[in-house]
Amino acid sequence: HASPRPFIALFADQAAPHPEATALVWDGGRLSYGDLARRVNRLAGRLRELGAGADRVVACALERSPELVVAVLAIARAGAAFLPLDLEAPPARLAAILDDSCALALVIAAPQQQRLGALHARVLVVDAGLADDDTTPAAPGADPAPRDLAYVLFTSGSTGRPKGVMVEHGALARRLGWLSRTYGVVRSDCAVQATQVTFDPALIELCLPLIHGATVALPPPGRQAPRALASFAARHQATIMAFVPSTLRQFLDGAAQEPGLRLRVACCGGEVLADDLALRFLRETGARLYNVYGPTEACIFASAWQCSDSGAGHPLPIGAPIDDTRIY
């Protein structure tokens, strides 16, 4: 089989013919595919000037925001791998991760300059206004190869020193391919980006919509109250979401008050999903739900099980391996 194309190439395929379509939406604003692509190319040009390219790592310490999406796409457009950092982590831990990853540069927003600006010799500050300037966006470079590094995620370090997990473009493209087929993603879809970007399910919410011309809805920065997330999802007519079981129950409590919820498909992973919770989700939302499992090394998840309302009273299986995956 030919390797599927990297997500950044598929994003460009959507942006070119539909520049006016809405790529990002948040309470009080939106950004079109055309504007997003221009800002991505401009930042990618700045990164290439710093030496970004295949298998080089560029870290970003950004809150959930349009700038975060621009940075993730621009790092890929420059051919490098993105390393998302937890803004709430102590600076000493961030410094150790930057050192361990040999990050070429660190992308931050202006408000973080005082706290994080000294962590790296090459700091790129992206402005919150994302203002269009008069410079011509850099021409896109060649698409990343399947074996090129797409991203690096560091483990929590709860059992010792944090370890960096490296994932290639081919693996991410195949995972997004499975999600695209299984979810049946179309341009009218909207995914809520609620997962902290240092956890790989965030890539479902960030990348999957943008390779189909669909929309990413960005809640306010910081950790989200699951009950409030239901009203945000209804407000922006979200159709796709990702959960962990502990937040799913509270989301459903909030969703009970939201008659406008349009959710049609979701996945849940990270912890054991109780059968009664899955059944409640199916009955109260009418959406499909997949119980997913797998380590970060396997690119988001390695197996999936579509939940059904006949599973009550039995532990939910982790499902079958997806696409090019084997489970033992």
Side-chain angles (χ1 to χ4, degrees), residues 233-246:
R235 195 155 60 245
H236 294 285
Q237 300 195 307
T239 55
I240 297 171
M241 293 186 72
F243 296 100
V244 292
S246 54

Side-chain angles (χ1 to χ4, degrees), residues 47-131:
L47 289 166
R48 277 201 293 269
E49 287 169 5
L50 293 179
D55 295 342
R56 302 300 301 268
V57 174
V58 176
C60 53
L62 295 164
E63 292 187 308
R64 181 186 297 108
S65 59
E67 302 91 79
L68 170 65
V69 183
V70 170
V72 166
L73 293 172
I75 292 166
R77 179 77 281 166
F82 59 90
L83 164 60
L85 298 178
D86 181 1
L87 280 169
E88 296 176 13
R93 178 195 159 101
L94 297 179
I97 288 174
L98 288 168
D99 182 58
D100 195 21
S101 66
C102 299
L104 172 76
L106 171 62
V107 182
I108 63 172
Q112 301 293 334
Q113 200 159 5
Q114 190 171 359
R115 179 172 174 257
L116 303 179
L119 285 180
H120 200 283
R122 287 197 194 97
V123 172
L124 258 178
V125 180
V126 291
D127 65 310
L130 285 171

Side-chain angles (χ1 to χ4, degrees), residues 226-309:
R227 290 181 79 116
L229 208 53
S231 64
F232 179 87
R235 195 155 60 245
H236 294 285
Q237 300 195 307
T239 55
I240 297 171
M241 293 186 72
F243 296 100
V244 292
S246 54
T247 61
L248 182 55
R249 198 176 296 276
Q250 297 171 66
F251 175 85
L252 290 174
D253 292 342
Q257 318 301 319
E258 298 295 338
L261 198 65
R262 284 187 56 215
L263 195 58
R264 66 174 190 83
V265 61
C267 62
C268 196
E271 305 156 13
V272 175
L273 176 59
D275 62 301
D276 64 322
L277 181 56
L279 188 62
R280 182 185 168 195
F281 175 91
L282 295 175
R283 290 179 175 172
E284 293 183 11
T285 67
R288 282 185 289 151
L289 179 65
Y290 291 87
N291 184 34
V292 296
Y293 170 83
T296 300
E297 287 84 348
C299 190
I300 311 177
F301 50 81
S303 68
W305 174 262
Q306 184 172 355
C307 301
S308 72
D309 56 11

Side-chain angles (χ1 to χ4, degrees), residues 11 19 32-44 132 137-138:
F11 162 73
S32 70
Y33 268 85
D35 286 340
L36 178 58
R38 274 191 294 278
R39 290 163 193 191
V40 164
N41 286 341
R42 189 171 296 120
L43 180 56
D132 271 315

Side-chain angles (χ1 to χ4, degrees), residues 146-214:
R147 296 300 301 271
D148 287 348
L149 208 52
Y151 61 89
V152 178
L153 292 185
F154 273 76
T155 58
S156 63
S158 54
T159 55
R161 194 173 167 208
K163 290 179 281 292
V165 175
M166 303 185 291
V167 177
E168 297 171 348
H169 273 282
L172 178 56
R174 287 192 295 274
R175 195 60 73 250
L176 292 172
W178 182 89
L179 284 158
S180 298
R181 293 196 313 275
T182 306
Y183 284 14
V185 185
V186 293
R187 288 180 62 200
S188 57
D189 276 315
C190 174
V192 176
Q193 203 289 291
T195 306
Q196 295 298 105
V197 76
T198 48
F199 297 102
D200 55 3
L203 296 172
I204 302 172
E205 306 160 335
L206 270 174
C207 300
L208 187 62
L210 294 177
I211 66 173
H212 291 284

